[in-house]
Amino acid sequence: MIELVKYFRILFRSAKISLERLKGFTEDHIQRLTANNPGGIFTQILTDVTAAYNAFFGDLASEALNEAVKEGKTIAMNDSRDALQKNISDNEGLVRYTYRDNDSFYEEFYPLGVTEYLRADLATFDTITLRYRTVLSNHAGDFTAQFSLDFNTLRGTFVTNRNLQLAAKGDVAAEKSDIAASKPALAKQLTVDLLTISLQYVGDESKADVYFDQAILNAAFNESAKKVTADINPDETQNVFDNISQPDVRLRIRVTGDDAAFNFGFKAADNSVVTETTHQLTNGADVTVTSAEWGWTSTNKNLNVTNPGAVAGSYVVEKI
């Protein structure tokens, strides 16, 4: 059967084509198109695909840079948190001695003990160290000026580094959103190029190799037979695997991206939206399951993922 609808689809958008492979495939195509443009018949699509590539590569390069900056800010923030925690822990002995006859004042500093500060998540740590600063200010006369200065200096450094980290995370999120727009635009333009070139050479299949390197795509899909690493945009559904034929296939699934929350599930069709949150994974998730545990049946063989959120994120699914 001839499926006419396939000629209306946007190709090259598959999750199985990584960002780096899409970049390499496009660079190769632009070089081939530049070298094989008889009479300038392909000048328009060459101009358009170059512009789409520049937008995409600019976003890709910026994301890589911002990820590196975010990592550096995170290290600095963690170091400053460790220093502040150590200060609070070291202070406990003096605070306990100072208020040895007044437990209520001690409990203002350490209502749940030192462990409250050591085990808190970042948002809570920020809140309870602000509380500590207020209490210390109220009882400043019971301690030396240096005691208060040391704590306030360390907390100030932590807050500064935390704010810088949050700003860096915002930059990464913004670049992911840009890629969410520039990658589909590039995929669409490459599809236009393919159709335009094939229209010029209808019946001459040898021209495919003149303008495109099929080996790059083959490598991408061969690689993705066992492992898929992809970004997923808001409200987007992707097919991760369409070649799982057994219920006992073991899968390792990881999710990254602030505010990420992706729905995974096996479906009959490779484009079916996963609305169920039964197997929803959020940022930092790293799980290992079998295909049967996540809904594989002889009918539902396609592992799909849907991003129901408002921001782009990333995932890795690997057969192990």
Side-chain angles (χ1 to χ4, degrees):
M1 180 176 68
I2 299 175
E3 295 184 24
L4 298 180
V5 68
K6 69 181 180 181
Y7 297 102
F8 294 84
R9 294 172 183 161
I10 296 178
L11 306 176
F12 312 107
R13 193 175 176 176
S14 171
K16 297 174 176 62
I17 306 175
S18 69
L19 296 178
E20 287 296 334
R21 288 200 183 277
L22 181 62
K23 174 178 174 289
F25 178 78
T26 306
E27 289 172 345
D28 177 82
H29 167 60
I30 289 173
Q31 291 173 1
R32 291 168 183 252
L33 190 57
T34 301
N36 298 277
N37 184 16
I41 59 174
F42 298 134
T43 296
Q44 186 59 59
I45 61 172
L46 176 59
T47 300
D48 293 342
V49 75
T50 300
Y53 166 81
N54 286 336
F56 167 72
F57 180 62
D59 292 338
L60 184 62
S62 295
E63 184 195 15
L65 175 61
N66 285 331
E67 283 284 6
V69 171
K70 186 187 77 170
E71 181 64 22
K73 300 299 184 186
T74 299
I75 292 172
M77 186 278 298
N78 287 335
D79 288 345
S80 61
R81 173 176 175 160
D82 290 344
L84 181 56
Q85 285 178 325
K86 184 177 186 304
N87 175 266
I88 292 171
S89 181
D90 291 345
N91 288 352
E92 192 272 340
L94 180 58
V95 173
R96 179 180 294 278
Y97 178 79
T98 301
Y99 299 120
R100 57 192 179 279
D101 297 323
N102 192 335
D103 288 342
S104 63
F105 282 0
Y106 170 83
E107 290 177 358
E108 288 182 38
F109 285 90
Y110 301 97
L112 299 177
V114 176
T115 55
E116 178 186 15
Y117 298 95
L118 302 180
R119 295 177 180 176
D121 59 35
L122 275 173
T124 303
F125 186 72
D126 190 17
T127 300
I128 62 180
T129 55
L130 176 60
R131 178 192 68 199
Y132 193 103
R133 187 185 72 174
T134 301
V135 173
L136 182 57
S137 177
N138 292 339
H139 296 283
D142 297 335
F143 303 94
T144 66
Q146 190 63 48
F147 183 90
S148 297
L149 178 62
D150 289 346
F151 170 82
N152 287 323
T153 298
L154 290 170
R155 186 177 189 278
T157 301
F158 163 74
V159 171
T160 297
N161 288 336
R162 174 61 172 156
N163 289 336
L164 289 172
Q165 181 206 32
L166 291 173
K169 285 184 176 181
D171 290 340
V172 171
E175 291 302 335
K176 284 186 179 294
S177 295
D178 289 344
I179 289 176
S182 61
K183 180 183 178 182
L186 177 58
K188 182 176 181 180
Q189 184 57 50
L190 286 168
T191 304
V192 170
D193 288 13
L194 175 63
L195 294 174
T196 301
I197 294 168
S198 60
L199 181 62
Q200 188 67 33
Y201 300 113
V202 173
D204 187 353
E205 296 181 9
S206 67
K207 293 297 184 181
D209 291 337
V210 173
Y211 293 95
F212 300 96
D213 186 351
Q214 182 72 42
I216 295 177
L217 296 180
N218 290 345
F221 281 87
N222 289 338
E223 181 181 69
S224 67
K226 291 188 175 181
K227 181 178 180 179
V228 173
T229 300
D231 293 326
I232 182 167
N233 306 328
D235 297 322
E236 182 180 6
T237 294
Q238 295 178 355
N239 174 252
V240 184
F241 288 126
D242 59 5
N243 58 352
I244 294 180
S245 58
Q246 299 294 329
D248 57 353
V249 175
R250 297 183 70 235
L251 303 167
R252 182 185 180 189
I253 306 168
R254 288 162 282 172
V255 167
T256 59
D258 297 321
D259 299 321
F262 306 151
N263 300 333
F264 290 85
F266 280 90
K267 296 289 184 179
D270 62 6
N271 61 350
S272 294
V273 176
V274 185
T275 57
E276 304 88 345
T277 59
T278 308
H279 305 303
Q280 184 179 91
L281 297 182
T282 57
N283 181 36
D286 188 341
V287 302
T288 299
V289 299
T290 66
S291 49
E293 289 173 338
W294 270 30
W296 181 94
T297 67
S298 58
T299 302
N300 297 334
K301 297 181 179 181
N302 288 283
L303 177 60
N304 295 347
V305 56
T306 296
N307 178 359
V311 297
S314 306
Y315 66 86
V316 180
V317 182
E318 184 176 7
K319 297 177 184 177
I320 57 175

